[in-house]
Amino acid sequence: MKGIAPWVQDHWDWRAAGNFILGGTGTGLLFFAALALAEGVPMLVTGVLSVVLVSAGLSLVWTELGRPWRFINVFFHPHTSWMTRESIVGMPLVVVALAAAWFQRVDLAGLAALLGLCFLYCQARMLQAAKGIPAWREPPAVLLMVITGLTEGEGLFLLVAPALEVRTGVIAHLGGPSLLVLIVLRMWVWAAYRQRLEDGRAPMAALAVLREMNPWLTALGHVVPVLLICMGFLFPQGAVLFFALAGLCALGGGWYLKFSLVTRAAYNQGFALAHTPARGGKSGPGTAPGWR
C-alpha cells in the first residue's frame, strides 16, 4: 500500500553518512596512532590526519543543517541528544589530538585516544537512538559502529605506514594482528546484527539491502584482508605491502557498510493497520505492509 509501507528516510543523506565514515575513521586512526607513539612511532602526520577527518565529518553535518548558522543550538541538549554529546566531545578532542601530535607526548596521545573513543561511542549511540529506523535501532548496531570505526582507523594506519617509514617491527607486531582481530570481530558482529534483523525486526526492503551488501562486505571487507594479513605473516619480507593492501580493503569495507546502512537500508517503520477497512459488515484482519 503506497504511503503505508516503509520508505527510505531522507533526513540523513550522504553528508550524514560522511560524518559517520570520517568521524569513525579519524577516531580509530587516532587510537592506533597513540598506541604507535608508545612504541616510538611519531604521530605528527597521523594525529593531524585524524583531526582533519573528524573535522571534515562534522563539517558535513554542518552543511546538512537547514539553518547552518544556528549550529550553536546543537550544544544545548547534552541531557537528551547524542549529537550534542558528540559535538561537545569533538572540541577537546581536536585540541588535545593536535597538542599530542605537536609535542609527541604519550600522555596527551592517550587522552586524545580516550576522547576519540568517547566520540566514536556517541556516534554509534546517535545512530541507534533513531528509533524510527528499524535497521539502526537494534542494540548490536552500537557495537557494529564502534568496531567498524576502529577497523577503519587501523586499516588507514597500515595504509599510510609505508609512506611514513614506520618500522616494520611495529607494523608486524602491532598493526597486522590487531587488524586481524578487528576484522574477525566485525564479521561476528555483522552476522549477529543481520540475524537479529532477519528475525522479523526490519522491513523486507531493508533486509533486501542488507542481503545485497553481505557478499561484497564479506568478500572484500573481510575475507580478502584476512588472506592478505596471513600472506604478510607467511612472507615477512612483503608484510608491509600485504598489510597496507589489507588495510585498504578493511577501510573500504567499513565505508561501504556505513554508507549503505545510512543511505540505503534506512527504511522507516511504516504504518500498521489494526484492522483493514471493509464496506459493510465486519472489518478485515490487521496488516503491516512491507513486513514479513
Side-chain angles (χ1 to χ4, degrees):
M1 298 182 182
K2 188 175 182 181
I4 299 179
W7 64 92
V8 179
Q9 62 82 33
D10 56 4
H11 298 288
W12 285 5
D13 56 17
W14 64 270
R15 291 167 293 186
N19 180 43
F20 287 109
I21 288 171
L22 298 177
T25 302
T27 52
L29 175 62
L30 182 60
F31 179 82
F32 288 102
L35 290 180
L37 180 62
E39 296 288 330
V41 178
M43 65 171 292
L44 179 60
V45 174
T46 52
V48 172
L49 179 57
S50 66
V51 169
V52 169
L53 290 171
V54 171
S55 301
L58 291 174
S59 297
L60 287 176
V61 173
W62 178 72
T63 64
E64 193 180 22
L65 297 176
R67 297 178 179 179
W69 295 112
R70 297 181 64 184
F71 71 93
I72 193 66
N73 292 329
V74 171
F75 297 98
F76 293 161
H77 307 283
H79 56 296
T80 58
S81 171
W82 285 103
M83 182 179 292
T84 297
R85 295 162 190 163
E86 175 202 40
S87 302
I88 291 174
V89 172
M91 293 186 293
L93 167 63
V94 169
V95 174
V96 176
L98 289 176
W102 181 259
F103 295 109
Q104 299 293 301
R105 287 182 49 174
V106 176
D107 56 346
L108 289 176
L111 178 57
L114 179 60
L115 289 170
L117 291 177
C118 293
F119 185 94
L120 182 57
Y121 180 73
C122 289
Q123 277 201 333
R125 290 298 304 272
M126 183 169 62
L127 186 77
Q128 194 249 346
K131 301 301 183 182
I133 310 299
W136 296 353
R137 68 189 180 201
E138 292 300 319
V142 175
L143 184 57
L144 179 63
M145 294 294 287
V146 171
I147 293 296
T148 299
L150 292 174
T151 305
E152 293 165 359
E154 178 67 324
L156 181 57
F157 179 82
L158 291 177
L159 183 61
V160 302
L164 302 177
E165 298 182 354
V166 176
R167 296 196 311 274
T168 303
V170 174
I171 296 176
H173 297 106
L174 175 64
S178 61
L179 182 61
L180 180 61
V181 170
L182 287 169
I183 290 173
V184 172
L185 281 175
R186 187 169 70 180
M187 290 175 62
W188 175 71
V189 176
W190 168 248
Y193 165 77
R194 285 188 59 239
Q195 184 56 55
R196 186 175 176 89
L197 292 179
E198 289 282 357
D199 292 339
R201 290 184 171 91
M204 290 185 290
L207 295 176
V209 173
L210 297 179
R211 292 169 189 155
E212 178 189 332
M213 291 168 54
N214 187 57
W216 293 99
L217 179 61
T218 300
L220 299 180
H222 296 154
V223 175
V224 171
V226 166
L227 293 176
L228 287 168
I229 292 171
C230 292
M231 292 291 289
F233 292 150
L234 292 174
F235 303 99
Q237 65 276 14
V240 173
L241 177 59
F242 285 125
F243 290 167
L245 293 175
L248 177 62
C249 292
L251 177 67
W255 287 17
Y256 171 68
L257 188 159
K258 288 180 177 178
F259 184 84
S260 299
L261 194 61
V262 173
T263 62
R264 298 180 55 228
Y267 283 84
N268 60 24
Q269 183 76 28
F271 297 93
L273 300 177
H275 304 283
T276 53
R279 180 174 299 174
K282 188 177 180 180
S283 60
T287 182
W291 288 76
R292 186 170 54 200

